């Protein structure tokens, strides 16, 4: 999405909203106004365009010594889900054949994100319980260890079906060294946000909070903006037969185990327990790729990932514990035309 020629670029300078001319660097306040304007017009991720290659201003040498992404999240306010301006939300029902009610002409990215030039992962984090629903894999009939996660009722918890109190791999506690507030036997949904505005292939690529990574170079970005999220759902077991060594950089893909191969693609929003079916996320137009299957993974795989996050610079310590989950999005704010 090339901003030049878009009315957001032609906003007149007003007090407190310091937009400069087209080719000058956006001020901090101006950048936020610009992002909000583009969000309202196109959604964040440029739904109206094909997925073209973006061109970014090269990083200066001195930018390798500082976190250039810190504070770049525009911090857009929540929006009422009843508003006429509300756009497609996440997480949703991803069962094959499901179709929601929010009409859209937007088409999600259908190829793996690794094949979209300029797009890179900028964070990894996870939520307790699933935020999406896949019937028979992770749904309201799934079970997990007591007690229920905070803020989740028995009728709203979305869990996998693996948990068996008689099997010690689901009940034997693990000696967590790096992750915090984790539980063997519990279901978690892992997210890998991607962006073509991130500081890809630099020391600043991975960021906490993740929106700083997503919007890191929004002020200098030229071309279509693309934001995507990979999502994969797991039940943690205390069993090294389910160890995966590199869980940090993206979704696990293993055709023999049907991991990362049965994917729903759709357009949605950011998630998290701050949003529900009354208060919606303003960060929309996001390309989601969600694994429909639930998988077993060892606690040590998570702990290794947390070790990698704590060793990372910039530090990602705020993301080594799970976040809360958003309740399942209602049909009227979920996008139609899922791609399978």
């Amino acid at each position: 999405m090339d901003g030049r020629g878009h009315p957001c670029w032609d906003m007149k300078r007003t007090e407190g909203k310091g937009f400069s001319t087209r080719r000058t660097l956006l001020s901090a306040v101006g950048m936020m106004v610009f992002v909000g304007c583009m969000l309202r017009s196109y959604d964040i991720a440029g739904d109206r365009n094909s997925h073209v290659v973006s061109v970014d201003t090269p990083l200066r040498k001195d930018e390798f010594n500082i976190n250039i992404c810190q504070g770049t999240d525009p911090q857009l306010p929540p929006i009422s889900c009843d508003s006429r301006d509300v756009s497609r939300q996440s997480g949703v029902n991803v069962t094959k054949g499901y179709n929601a009610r929010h009409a859209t002409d937007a088409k999600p990215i259908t190829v793996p994100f690794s094949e979209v030039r300029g797009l890179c992962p900028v964070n990894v984090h996870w939520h307790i319980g699933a935020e999406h629903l896949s019937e028979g894999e992770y749904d309201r009939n799934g079970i997990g260890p007591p007690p229920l996660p905070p803020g989740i009722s028995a009728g709203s918890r979305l869990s996998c079906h693996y948990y068996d109190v008689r099997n010690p791999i689901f009940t034997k506690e693990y000696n967590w060294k790096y992750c915090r507030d984790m539980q063997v036997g519990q279901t978690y949904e892992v997210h890998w946000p991607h962006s073509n505005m991130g500081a890809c292939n630099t020391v600043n690529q991975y960021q906490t909070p993740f929106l700083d990574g997503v919007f890191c170079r929004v002020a200098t970005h030229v071309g279509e903006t693309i934001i995507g999220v990979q999502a994969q759902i797991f039940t943690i077991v205390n069993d090294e037969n389910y160890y995966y060594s590199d869980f940090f950089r993206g979704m696990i893909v293993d055709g023999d185990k049907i991991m990362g191969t049965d994917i729903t693609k759709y357009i949605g929003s950011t998630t998290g327990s701050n949003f529900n079916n009354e208060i919606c996320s303003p960060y929309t137009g996001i390309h989601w790729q969600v694994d429909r299957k639930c998988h077993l993974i060892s606690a040590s795989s998570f702990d290794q990932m947390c070790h990698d996050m704590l060793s990372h610079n910039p530090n990602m310590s705020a993301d080594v514990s799970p976040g809360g989950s958003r309740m399942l999005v209602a049909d009227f704010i979920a996008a139609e035309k899922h791609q399978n």
Side-chain angles (χ1 to χ4, degrees):
M1 176 173 59
D2 191 340
R4 291 171 291 184
H6 189 280
C8 294
W9 281 97
D10 297 323
M11 296 173 67
K12 294 182 179 180
R13 183 185 299 274
T14 58
E15 184 177 358
K17 297 183 179 180
F19 259 73
S20 51
T21 58
R22 291 183 180 184
R23 297 187 181 275
T24 57
L25 185 66
L26 296 173
S27 69
V29 175
M31 182 271 288
M32 292 183 185
V33 176
F34 169 76
V35 172
C37 177
M38 297 301 284
L39 169 62
R40 289 188 294 274
S41 299
Y42 287 93
D43 290 338
I44 287 177
D47 291 342
R48 300 185 184 183
N49 296 292
S50 61
H51 308 303
V52 298
V53 176
S54 63
V55 180
D56 286 319
T57 305
L59 291 172
R60 303 187 311 269
K61 289 182 179 180
D62 62 344
E63 289 177 326
F64 286 90
N65 300 320
I66 59 174
N67 184 359
I68 63 168
C69 305
Q70 187 173 3
T72 54
D73 170 14
Q75 299 184 355
L76 302 176
I79 184 171
S80 169
C81 297
D82 292 329
S83 169
R84 62 184 299 177
D85 296 325
V86 72
S87 193
R88 303 163 294 274
Q89 298 288 300
S90 299
V92 301
N93 189 331
V94 294
T95 306
K96 189 171 288 187
Y98 168 79
N99 212 6
R101 289 165 41 195
H102 197 301
T104 177
D105 293 326
K107 295 180 180 180
I109 295 171
T110 57
V111 299
F113 290 161
S114 59
E115 297 179 14
V116 181
R117 190 173 176 185
L119 196 64
C120 68
V122 296
N123 173 271
V124 58
H125 64 271
W126 51 95
H127 301 262
I128 188 166
E131 292 195 300
H132 290 83
L133 182 148
S134 180
E135 292 288 353
E137 290 289 331
Y138 41 92
D139 54 29
R140 294 185 180 92
N141 295 319
I143 56 175
L148 286 171
I152 297 179
S153 66
S156 65
R157 177 166 74 174
L158 303 178
S159 297
C160 299
H161 292 238
Y162 287 114
Y163 181 77
D164 183 352
V165 70
R166 299 164 297 181
N167 189 333
I169 71 170
F170 297 104
T171 59
K172 183 182 178 181
E173 263 310 320
Y174 176 79
N175 181 23
W176 298 95
K177 296 179 180 178
Y178 305 106
C179 296
R180 299 194 305 266
D181 304 323
M182 300 290 287
Q183 187 177 16
V184 171
Q186 187 61 262
T187 296
Y188 296 93
E189 178 166 325
V190 181
H191 293 168
W192 293 270
H194 289 59
S195 174
N196 69 346
M197 296 174 285
C200 300
N201 302 313
T202 77
V203 295
N204 290 300
Q205 177 173 327
Y206 287 87
Q207 294 285 325
T208 295
F210 78 91
L211 287 170
D212 277 358
V214 166
F215 290 103
C216 181
R217 300 175 71 182
V218 65
T220 57
H221 181 80
V222 178
E224 180 189 11
T225 59
I226 305 173
I227 302 169
V229 181
Q230 292 176 326
Q232 204 162 30
I233 290 78
F234 299 93
T235 293
I236 292 183
V237 294
N238 196 341
D239 186 340
E240 292 309 301
N241 289 316
Y242 298 94
Y243 178 75
Y244 294 88
S245 60
D246 190 0
F247 195 34
F248 179 74
R249 292 176 176 83
M251 178 184 289
I252 298 172
V253 180
D254 186 333
D256 293 337
K257 298 180 180 179
I258 320 179
M259 299 183 74
T261 58
D262 186 5
I263 305 295
T264 293
K265 300 101 174 175
Y266 76 98
I267 300 291
S269 70
T270 60
T271 65
S273 55
N274 289 335
F275 306 117
N276 47 45
N277 289 323
E278 297 177 355
I279 303 300
C280 277
S281 168
Y283 298 94
T284 57
I286 295 174
H287 299 264
W288 280 85
Q289 297 192 351
V290 184
D291 191 339
R292 288 195 187 94
K293 302 295 184 182
C294 178
H295 310 285
L296 298 178
I297 192 165
S298 70
S300 58
S301 301
F302 262 91
D303 220 24
Q304 178 62 52
M305 177 169 63
C306 289
H307 170 272
D308 295 342
M309 295 166 70
L310 292 170
S311 302
H312 189 269
N313 184 23
N315 186 274
M316 299 178 71
S317 59
D319 278 329
V320 297
S321 58
S325 289
R326 182 177 184 170
M327 68 171 58
L328 189 69
V329 163
D331 287 351
F332 80 96
I333 48 175
E336 62 174 3
K337 299 179 181 177
H338 290 197
Q339 301 294 314
N340 300 309

